[in-house]
Amino acid sequence: MSKSRFTPRQLATAGIIAAIYAVLTLFLPIPQYGGVQFRVAEAMTVLPFIMPEAVPGLVVGCFIANLLGSPMIVDCIFGTAATLLAALMTSRVKNRYLAPLPPVLCNALIVGAEIALFFPTEGTAFWAAYAWNAFTVGLGEALVCFLLGLPLLRGVENAKLARR
């Protein structure tokens, strides 16, 4: 029998993060899917900077939210992959003010491509649609991660809920 990487407290924290992510995404009445989105739950994508257990929590929460709410079933694959990659990258960032950057870049590049590829706009070339979707997804992600995520990160640190 192998020893778990996470303590029971960390597993519980991951579960709570997953639940909060899914609930915020599924129940807030604002754009959560598509080219223009303001997914408030993405503010939590900065948490891997201080909590390793946030990585599985965010991935599971994103998968559940995309499975139950996205009009694009491929979002379960690509959106969740973007979240996984962003969370892993964020966990390796050394400066708190750069913690929002991996989620912004990963979502802009991966989700932007997903939307352009699977939901092409008639008469628009792929690269033009990709550039536009990457920009709009990235902009929404940047607003959420920098304006909400950084204060969240500071609050969690101040409450001593996490250790780095």
Side-chain angles (χ1 to χ4, degrees), residues 3-90:
K3 186 176 178 182
S4 174
R5 259 179 69 152
F6 293 117
T7 66
R9 178 184 170 135
Q10 288 175 311
L11 287 173
T13 301
I16 291 167
I17 289 170
I20 292 170
Y21 187 104
V23 167
L24 286 175
T25 303
L26 292 167
F27 294 108
L28 283 179
I30 54 178
Q32 305 283 344
Y33 305 96
V36 177
Q37 54 183 264
F38 193 78
R39 194 179 278 201
V40 173
E42 286 290 305
M44 296 190 306
T45 60
V46 299
L47 292 178
F49 178 76
I50 55 173
M51 324 171 91
E53 62 270 29
V55 174
L58 291 167
V59 172
V60 169
C62 180
F63 179 79
I64 291 168
N66 289 339
L67 181 65
L68 299 177
S70 179
M72 308 178 291
I73 195 67
V74 295
D75 209 15
C76 291
I77 298 165
F78 293 101
T80 303
T83 298
L84 173 61
L85 184 60
L88 292 172
M89 291 169 65
T90 301

Side-chain angles (χ1 to χ4, degrees), residues 46-47 50-51 96 148-162:
V46 299
L47 292 178
I50 55 173
M51 324 171 91
R96 94 176 62 265
L148 300 177
L150 285 177
L152 173 66
L153 189 60
R154 176 70 56 158
V156 170
E157 288 175 319
N158 288 344
K160 298 184 183 351
L161 297 173

Side-chain angles (χ1 to χ4, degrees), residues 102-126:
V104 172
L105 294 174
C106 289
N107 279 282
L109 297 175
I110 296 170
V111 176
E114 170 195 346
I115 295 168
L117 187 62
F118 292 103
F119 290 89
T121 306
E122 190 172 323
T124 305
F126 170 80

Side-chain angles (χ1 to χ4, degrees), residues 133-154:
N133 287 307
F135 171 75
T136 59
V137 169
L139 179 61
E141 189 77 12
L143 290 171
V144 169
C145 290
F146 282 97
L147 297 180
L148 300 177
L150 285 177
L152 173 66
L153 189 60
R154 176 70 56 158

